[in-house]
Amino acid sequence: MNHGTEQRHPIDGLYRSLDVDDTGTAVSVIVKTRGETCDIDCLYCYEKRKEAPGGARVGAGPVRRLAELFKGRPLAVELHGGEPLTAGRDHIAEILTELAALPQVVRVSLQTNGVLLDADWLDLFDDLCPDLQIGVSLDGDARGNAWRVGYDGQPVYPRVTAALELLAERGRSVGVIAAVTPAVLDRAEAVLDHLAGFGSVNAISFVPCFDSTIRRSTALPGRRKAASRLLQQAAVTAEDGPAWAIHPDEYAQFVLAATAHWISAGHFARIKLEPAVSTIRRLRRLGTGFCHFSDLKCDHVFTLYPDGRLGSCDELPWPQARLVQLESVTDQHEVIRAQQDSVLLDQGKALMNKCTTCDYRDTCGGGCIATRWRMDPADDHDAYCEYRMRMIDGIAALLAQPAHPEGAWCQSLRSRPRTPNSMRDVNAFLTRWDNPDAAHGQVKLHTSEHGNINIVGLAGVHEAEDLDPSHPMWQSAIEPRVWPLVDTVTRAWGLITYDSCQGHQYTGLDLPPTGLRIGLLARDREEYAHTAAALCRAATSASLILPVGIEVNIGRSELTCESKGTRTPVLDLSLDPSPGHGWQTYFAHLDDAAAVLAATLTAEHPTGTTCACPLPAPAEVAVGVLR
């Protein structure tokens, strides 16, 4: 068994600055084709809150200038708004023709509300840019789209769904961006099914409306207010924010319910769901192009407006996010200097300072700076971080036990990857464990002066023998303080332990103390789900009577097979110092705490998948359907 501690990295591992010499890394440019001008008036629109002059258009010339500015570097261009199609077919045709002539442009996309999308537009796209990626904004079903209205205050949902049906007839696939508002809360399954019912939809991104700080309606030129602005004015009168705003924990619950249904209903076979897919990729140590989970954040995302303003991500507050005027700069060096001088970007990076020491950093990736800005700036962003952790924990559970989605609602089990965490041959170990007649070879067991039992007999993390209960040296290989816990879970619970440690203070050595822990390797996903629930129940009971200064934690991790490179979900149970207490208090009471935990484990058994945590109402419905 190999185990070590995860290495921490500086902020550069979470937020990569633009490097003029890094020509292999793409930048994304959001082209505000008509600024904030749009043919509908969604009540929650963040672009219109900038109240920038509208009516002008970004032409082919500025697009060509972008390519010159970022020459030698891959460029991803998104035509955005407002509503880009209001620029007219001839104008969009000029832009697409220009983009097609630029070899460094690796992706062209268009985000539209879908209202103007018709056969003539699709013919134009087919002729000039057949690989154009189209995104449509639609917040689920008709009820979910309550905030997406025209200036007359009437819903635009029927016109958007007609566009989606036309896209399906033309054999085009599109991604849908759906805002999560109170209109869809508690209805994740129905909303997902509705969007998946459109044959053209192959990707869905659920984005949160964390708009609690909005306190006034958006201004509109002229004395007469449109019906939509009257609706918006009525929606922002609440003391805790506008009526369309949600809290981060509501968003986390929605995402988990949607992800559980995405898996159980089989939608994953056809539809990419965000933020679920990016969370899964990061849990599996894979990369993702979603900036909320990667280090290519605000320094690699630009926004171009019709008046030549070039700034950072369009979701950041303006005009603070403005960097330069496109026509006044000649190369990337000037853009980089503007980024380095940006107070907003510096403050944004500062929001991520605590990410550098967070246990979730490698999975979370630091999240979205713009989303944090939209939350209360006086807050320490704990609510934002807690939602990210809650979402990661729940999706980690769904990966490990997809047939038992109720595990996603357990708040005792946390995603706690251990790196490295490996074994020479996991399958051989599993087979040997359940075969008492298996041959046992010679083993090396040595004990250090600090109580470590391993192959070399030294303090610290070193390779240890992977033994099973039928081995004559089984108990001798387990450190004494942790033996009662190992004995209970292997003999009474019938489980497999892949790792254990009794905790070591290492007095007099330049080694950090380690806590008591055991690692459990399930034979299959069913056993994993039962074990996770039983550990939650036992930990909940133990937490009420543990000595002061010690807490019990349960982690979800993966065990890597060194011979095959495969990863198997595992569960880790540990006793750790409580917040505000140090190692001295911990080791003074560790024997008592170990006895308490052993007793609560003895009183439990891995049967059923109901843990000690309450299921939220919509999850109860979903679980009932799945069963």
Side-chain angles (χ1 to χ4, degrees):
M1 174 67 219
N2 245 338
H3 172 65
T5 56
E6 182 182 5
Q7 295 298 312
R8 299 298 181 191
H9 305 284
I11 192 71
D12 289 345
L14 292 164
Y15 188 115
R16 195 190 313 179
S17 298
L18 187 65
D19 182 354
V20 72
D21 295 323
D22 181 16
T23 56
T25 300
V27 296
S28 298
V29 180
I30 301 165
V31 177
K32 296 292 185 179
T33 320
R34 289 292 307 282
E36 88 289 358
T37 300
C38 188
D39 52 343
I40 66 174
D41 198 31
C42 302
L43 274 59
Y44 54 57
C45 180
Y46 68 82
E47 188 63 42
K48 289 181 181 178
R49 290 202 291 263
K50 299 173 186 176
E51 299 176 7
R57 300 182 293 186
V58 175
V63 170
R64 187 183 316 114
R65 183 75 187 89
L66 281 173
E68 295 170 355
L69 181 61
F70 295 108
K71 61 184 177 182
R73 182 191 292 276
L75 190 63
V77 176
E78 180 177 8
L79 305 183
H80 206 279
E83 172 52 49
L85 299 188
T86 60
R89 270 187 277 274
D90 291 344
H91 193 81
I92 295 296
E94 291 178 7
I95 294 176
L96 293 179
T97 300
E98 184 65 41
L99 290 170
L102 299 171
Q104 76 188 86
V105 175
V106 294
R107 184 177 71 251
V108 181
S109 57
L110 177 142
Q111 186 64 35
T112 175
N113 60 38
V115 170
L116 296 177
L117 205 56
D118 59 16
D120 290 338
W121 273 112
L122 295 181
D123 288 341
L124 184 149
F125 298 154
D126 289 342
D127 290 342
L128 299 180
C129 191
D131 294 328
L132 178 70
Q133 298 180 9
I134 301 175
V136 175
S137 300
L138 187 70
D139 299 345
D141 55 13
R143 178 178 163 191
N145 281 269
W147 310 106
R148 300 188 64 80
V149 299
Y151 287 93
D152 59 0
Q154 297 302 306
V156 298
Y157 170 81
R159 288 184 280 172
V160 182
T161 57
L164 290 177
E165 291 167 357
L166 174 62
L167 286 160
E169 292 173 9
R170 297 288 292 262
R172 273 205 174 253
S173 296
V174 298
V176 166
I177 293 181
V180 179
T181 69
V184 300
L185 292 180
D186 300 340
R187 301 193 305 116
E189 298 84 4
V191 169
L192 180 60
D193 283 342
H194 184 80
L195 291 174
F198 294 101
S200 55
V201 174
N202 70 350
I204 300 169
S205 179
F206 287 120
V207 299
C209 276
F210 295 155
D211 288 344
S212 60
T213 58
I214 303 301
R215 290 291 183 270
R216 65 184 183 91
S217 57
T218 307
L220 185 68
R223 296 181 179 179
R224 185 177 179 181
K225 285 190 176 181
S228 56
R229 297 301 167 93
L230 293 175
L231 291 174
Q232 187 192 65
Q233 187 174 9
V236 298
T237 56
E239 293 183 2
D240 55 351
W244 64 76
I246 63 170
H247 192 271
D249 61 0
E250 293 176 316
Y251 177 63
Q253 181 170 317
F254 181 91
V255 169
L256 291 179
T259 305
H261 189 64
W262 175 68
I263 294 171
S264 64
H267 293 317
F268 65 87
R270 183 175 70 87
I271 292 175
K272 177 184 178 182
L273 181 68
E274 290 291 4
V277 168
S278 288
T279 304
I280 290 169
R281 290 187 64 84
R282 291 304 297 258
L283 283 167
R284 291 180 170 172
R285 305 175 199 174
L286 300 172
T288 173
F290 193 0
C291 61
H292 293 200
F293 291 85
S294 80
D295 60 349
L296 297 179
K297 298 190 186 295
C298 305
D299 280 18
H300 287 76
V301 181
F302 297 90
T303 305
L304 176 65
Y305 278 91
D307 58 2
R309 288 175 297 155
L310 183 68
S312 192
C313 172
D314 67 331
E315 293 194 43
L316 286 167
W318 284 72
Q320 300 97 312
R322 180 186 176 277
L323 295 172
V324 295
Q325 285 294 124
L326 181 63
E327 65 274 11
S328 67
V329 292
T330 58
D331 59 31
Q332 289 182 61
H333 291 284
E334 295 176 65
V335 175
I336 292 172
R337 281 196 294 271
Q339 289 178 331
Q340 293 171 342
D341 292 338
S342 170
V343 174
L344 182 71
L345 291 181
D346 283 344
Q347 292 174 335
K349 292 177 186 179
L351 295 178
M352 299 177 63
N353 283 341
K354 68 178 180 179
C355 298
T356 61
T357 57
C358 177
D359 291 336
Y360 289 79
R361 53 161 289 158
D362 287 339
T363 305
C364 171
C368 173
I369 290 175
T371 304
R372 293 182 177 204
W373 275 118
R374 284 200 297 274
M375 298 177 66
D376 188 351
D379 181 31
D380 191 31
H381 305 286
D382 286 339
Y384 182 83
C385 295
E386 286 169 7
Y387 116 67
R388 300 280 292 181
M389 292 186 282
R390 183 72 197 90
M391 181 178 69
I392 290 168
D393 290 339
I395 292 178
L398 292 171
L399 275 179
Q401 51 182 84
H404 296 283
E406 58 267 43
W409 308 108
C410 178
Q411 298 185 46
S412 296
L413 276 75
R414 313 298 296 265
S415 175
R416 293 177 178 267
R418 295 165 60 186
T419 307
N421 194 34
S422 64
M423 180 180 285
R424 285 189 295 271
D425 193 328
V426 174
N427 287 336
F429 178 67
L430 285 167
T431 301
R432 188 170 66 248
W433 187 283
D434 288 325
N435 181 11
D437 298 325
H440 299 298
Q442 294 293 319
V443 299
K444 297 178 181 178
L445 297 178
H446 299 284
T447 304
S448 77
E449 61 180 7
H450 288 82
N452 308 82
I453 300 178
N454 50 47
I455 289 177
V456 293
L458 295 176
V461 178
H462 297 280
E463 186 175 0
E465 297 283 4
D466 299 320
L467 304 185
D468 58 87
S470 64
H471 196 287
M473 301 295 290
W474 163 244
Q475 184 170 353
S476 300
I478 309 298
E479 295 167 358
R481 186 188 290 124
V482 77
W483 166 253
L485 280 73
V486 172
D487 185 48
T488 298
V489 297
T490 56
R491 183 176 50 80
W493 285 26
L495 302 179
I496 299 172
T497 54
Y498 75 93
D499 181 36
S500 67
C501 176
Q502 70 174 9
H504 304 283
Q505 197 164 9
Y506 297 133
T507 302
L509 297 182
D510 188 22
L511 288 173
T514 58
L516 181 147
R517 67 172 185 275
I518 57 173
L520 300 174
L521 173 62
R523 296 172 177 83
D524 52 42
R525 286 175 168 175
E526 190 79 7
E527 183 177 87
Y528 180 101
H530 290 187
T531 302
L535 288 175
C536 174
R537 296 192 299 266
T540 301
S541 297
S543 64
L544 299 175
I545 51 177
L546 280 173
V548 173
I550 298 181
E551 65 180 16
V552 59
N553 290 300
I554 316 165
R556 299 185 191 271
S557 186
E558 290 184 329
L559 179 66
T560 300
C561 178
E562 295 168 1
S563 61
K564 296 183 174 64
T566 56
R567 295 191 180 102
T568 304
V570 291
L571 295 161
D572 297 311
L573 178 67
S574 65
L575 290 173
D576 303 295
S578 300
H581 294 83
W583 287 105
Q584 184 174 355
T585 301
Y586 175 83
F587 283 105
H589 301 290
L590 182 55
D591 287 334
D592 292 339
V596 167
L597 184 55
T600 55
L601 290 173
T602 301
E604 269 295 345
H605 198 72
T607 55
T609 57
T610 301
C611 73
C613 303
L615 287 169
E620 290 173 352
V621 174
V623 170
V625 171
L626 292 178
R627 288 174 178 167

